[in-house]
């Protein structure tokens, strides 16, 4: 009888802990760590780790988009989709270099080819470089897609978009139910 009661109590405790334990919930609206923000909130885990560091991109005269972020920042979670959307039109021509601000330790580097040189202590922060390594945009906060697009066009020596033209990508989530013969 005693063994039966102990088994019942064990099952009861395990069952209660299962149903009352907090569920794993990823949320754009909090500063909790949920994992890689680019994979979770932008659907693009290919951004981290970057293909090359800023120093190499500048040495190879590659235009670059440097993004300082934190995985546990609400603003960075929301901004991750903007960075991912920029990769569609510019991913082959521009080096995307996300840098987790938690990895920047110690004093600010004196070398302008090091990513930490540009960090202003606020996330998200985006810096756009042209082929010569000249900064074309350096802003913090939730920078609009169009502002970054303008800087990218300048860095790549592309024509400016007209004031009426919208460049914000349309996110489509559709299912094609049409039969093909």
């Amino acid at each position: 009888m005693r063994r039966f009661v102990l088994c019942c109590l064990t099952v009861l405790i395990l069952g209660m802990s299962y149903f009352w334990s907090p569920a794993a919930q990823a949320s754009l609206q909090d500063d909790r760590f949920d994992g890689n923000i680019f994979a979770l909130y932008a659907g693009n885990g290919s951004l981290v780790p970057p293909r090359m560091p800023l120093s190499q991109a500048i040495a190879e005269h590659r235009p670059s988009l440097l993004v300082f972020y934190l995985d546990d920042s609400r603003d960075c979670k929301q901004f991750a989709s903007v960075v991912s959307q920029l990769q569609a039109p510019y991913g082959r021509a521009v080096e995307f270099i996300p840098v987790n601000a938690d990895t920047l330790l110690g004093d600010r580097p004196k070398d302008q080819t090091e990513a930490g040189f540009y960090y202003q202590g606020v996330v998200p922060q985006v810096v756009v470089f042209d082929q010569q390594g000249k900064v074309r945009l350096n802003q913090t906060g939730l920078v609009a897609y169009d502002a970054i697009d303008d800087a990218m066009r300048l860095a790549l020596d592309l024509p400016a978009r007209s004031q009426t033209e919208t460049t914000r990508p349309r996110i489509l989530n559709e299912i094609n139910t049409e039969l093909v013969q």
Side-chain angles (χ1 to χ4, degrees):
M1 180 69 158
R2 185 174 179 199
R3 189 173 188 166
F4 176 75
V5 171
L6 285 174
C7 287
C8 289
L9 282 174
T10 304
V11 169
L12 181 65
I13 290 170
L14 289 175
M16 287 176 17
S17 67
Y18 175 77
F19 288 109
W20 286 343
S21 66
Q25 297 175 346
S27 172
L28 278 169
Q29 303 305 320
D30 61 36
D31 290 327
R32 239 185 7 220
F33 175 75
D34 300 320
N36 180 320
I37 61 172
F38 296 107
L40 283 173
Y41 301 107
N44 190 350
S46 71
L47 288 168
V48 177
R51 290 185 294 194
M52 65 177 66
L54 180 63
S55 57
Q56 183 180 350
I58 289 174
E60 294 180 10
H61 303 286
R62 300 259 315 150
S64 305
L65 178 98
L66 180 62
V67 179
F68 295 101
Y69 72 96
L70 291 171
D71 283 319
D72 59 355
S73 163
R74 175 179 57 192
D75 290 342
C76 292
K77 290 176 183 181
Q78 293 171 358
F79 189 64
S81 65
V82 172
V83 176
S84 182
Q85 290 170 5
L86 286 162
Q87 196 179 27
Y90 298 113
R92 292 180 184 235
V94 174
E95 285 303 319
F96 282 70
I97 307 171
V99 175
N100 189 321
D102 282 341
T103 64
L104 302 174
L105 304 172
D107 296 330
R108 183 176 172 186
K110 306 245 186 278
D111 186 358
Q112 292 184 8
T113 64
E114 295 298 320
F117 179 85
Y118 300 93
Y119 183 55
Q120 297 174 3
V122 178
V123 291
Q125 178 185 349
V126 62
V127 185
V128 176
F129 298 87
D130 64 14
Q131 289 99 335
Q132 289 75 37
K134 180 179 178 184
V135 174
R136 296 299 184 156
L137 175 77
N138 187 350
Q139 287 187 342
T140 60
L142 298 173
V143 183
Y145 177 94
D146 289 341
I148 302 170
D149 181 60
D150 289 341
M152 295 287 245
R153 288 172 177 272
L154 192 61
L156 293 169
D157 200 25
L158 296 173
R161 64 185 156 78
S162 69
Q163 296 299 320
T164 59
E165 178 186 354
T166 180
T167 57
R168 185 163 287 112
R170 294 186 183 114
I171 299 173
L172 298 175
N173 190 10
E174 64 181 68
I175 299 171
N176 186 351
T177 57
E178 194 175 297
L179 293 175
V180 178
Q181 294 181 5

